[in-house]
Amino acid sequence: MSIKRLLRLFPQPCAEYELNNLYLGQHGWYQASPEEPAVTANFVSSLDGRIAIASHTGSGMHLPDSLTSKEDFRLFLELHAQADCLVTHGAYLRNLAAGRLGNILQLPDDPGFGDLYEWRRQHGLAPHPDIVIASSSLDFPLHPSLKESGQKIYIATGQGTDRGLYDSWQQLGLEVLRVGQSVQVEGRPLVAELAQRGYRNIYLIAGPKMLHTMVRDRQLHRLYLSVSHQLLGSRNFKTLLDGEELSHCSLRLNSLFFDESSDNGCGQFFTSFDCVYDE
């Protein structure tokens, strides 16, 4: 069986690297601490900037199959494996329950990813990261896999959220973090609460609104972006950010890898950037 290799274009000099373990350790997380957790996000995009497009069935936005690749999924899981906490949102839980999205709340139960479980074990981590579910409405179902996997679950919402909804989750034995002045979650107080609980590596799997929140509040440290060499078009689509204009964050290229042809027939870049905030 051939080993998939990628060409590193940056930093120089150019060199070939194996796909497996590209982000795990050597090209992965900061050396974070509980005093200053690392917050990281990962997205896949087309060359025209689409991360999701309108569904033909009218059921909202979806990630086209043509945009996904097994290579990108492997690297997504390598970042997932290094996290002690995942941040998702209520809309994802609703779409997961409806069967519109796959389950990424745990590492796959697949021997092909056994090395990721072993990496976590060697680094003193539980088999799966804990979970934060951000929501302003607090209207979502808990996926049964969360209980089955034994992950600790936090609900994050704002101070303005209905008290009855807040209390109902607490009555189920879940800790609710009120981390925002309105009904919306804010990045800085959320990260501060998680730091107090000892989390070091926070991985966002929550979409463009949460990414915008973290950048706005100067909490995102590193952005990983896989760019598939294709054009998707569509009049209705989502891009990396969903929110008001930002003017204070620039990105410094950390690494750039080239994959000539993925399993979906397209070439792709795998990039990582450090976030640099204006004073």
Side-chain angles (χ1 to χ4, degrees), residues 206-257:
K209 285 187 177 180
M210 181 55 69
L211 181 65
H212 186 280
T213 295
M214 288 295 183
V215 174
R216 181 197 65 201
D217 294 352
R218 300 170 181 247
Q219 297 303 297
L220 186 73
H221 294 94
R222 184 170 289 183
L223 173 66
Y224 289 83
L225 178 63
S226 302
V227 182
S228 181
H229 298 174
Q230 58 182 290
L231 302 173
L232 288 179
S234 180
R235 295 184 183 276
N236 298 308
F237 56 89
K238 287 188 177 295
T239 61
L240 290 180
L241 294 175
D242 186 352
E244 69 272 12
E245 182 179 352
L246 299 171
S247 60
H248 61 268
C249 179
S250 60
L251 299 177
R252 181 171 56 231
L253 184 64
N254 180 64
S255 65
L256 169 61
F257 293 88

Side-chain angles (χ1 to χ4, degrees), residues 130-148:
D130 292 337
I131 296 286
V132 174
I133 304 167
S135 175
S136 58
S137 69
L138 298 184
D139 179 20
F140 55 85
L142 289 180
H143 195 264
S145 67
L146 292 170
K147 182 177 180 180
E148 293 165 2

Side-chain angles (χ1 to χ4, degrees), residues 21-215:
N21 299 328
L22 191 71
Y23 286 170
L24 196 65
Q26 182 178 4
H27 296 287
W29 290 103
Y30 293 2
Q31 295 300 311
S33 69
E35 292 74 30
E36 187 178 359
V39 180
T40 299
N42 179 51
F43 285 84
V44 58
S45 169
S46 63
L47 278 174
D48 53 339
R50 276 61 169 162
I51 67 167
I53 59 176
S55 172
H56 296 302
T57 64
S59 57
M61 298 288 175
H62 75 290
L63 175 68
D65 290 341
S66 66
L67 199 55
T68 63
S69 71
K70 65 180 182 181
E71 295 89 354
D72 173 69
F73 187 57
R74 167 70 197 194
L75 296 181
F76 168 85
L77 292 177
E78 289 190 7
L79 296 176
H80 185 300
Q82 296 174 74
D84 52 15
C85 182
L86 304 178
V87 177
T88 186
H89 53 87
Y92 171 72
L93 272 294
R94 292 191 294 271
N95 282 310
L96 179 60
R100 290 190 290 267
L101 292 174
N103 186 5
I104 55 172
L105 299 173
Q106 301 89 29
L107 291 172
D109 184 14
D110 184 320
F113 300 112
D115 62 317
L116 301 182
Y117 284 93
E118 178 60 19
W119 192 94
R120 290 185 65 83
R121 187 192 67 78
Q122 290 178 1
H123 287 79
L125 296 170
H128 302 288
D130 292 337
I131 296 286
V132 174
I133 304 167
S135 175
S136 58
S137 69
L138 298 184
D139 179 20
F140 55 85
L142 289 180
H143 195 264
S145 67
L146 292 170
K147 182 177 180 180
E148 293 165 2
S149 63
Q151 292 161 283
K152 185 173 179 59
I153 304 167
Y154 301 92
I155 309 297
T157 193
Q159 297 284 349
T161 303
D162 181 86
R163 181 75 193 196
L165 296 173
Y166 165 88
D167 289 342
S168 67
W169 283 109
Q170 289 208 127
Q171 289 166 9
L172 293 175
L174 300 180
E175 186 173 359
V176 179
L177 309 177
R178 305 195 80 174
V179 286
Q181 294 299 310
S182 65
V183 298
Q184 303 294 331
V185 170
E186 295 175 13
R188 190 176 299 277
L190 173 60
V191 173
E193 288 285 346
L194 295 176
Q196 288 181 11
R197 289 158 177 78
Y199 293 105
R200 299 175 59 181
N201 293 317
I202 301 167
Y203 189 31
L204 306 182
I205 56 171
K209 285 187 177 180
M210 181 55 69
L211 181 65
H212 186 280
T213 295
M214 288 295 183
V215 174

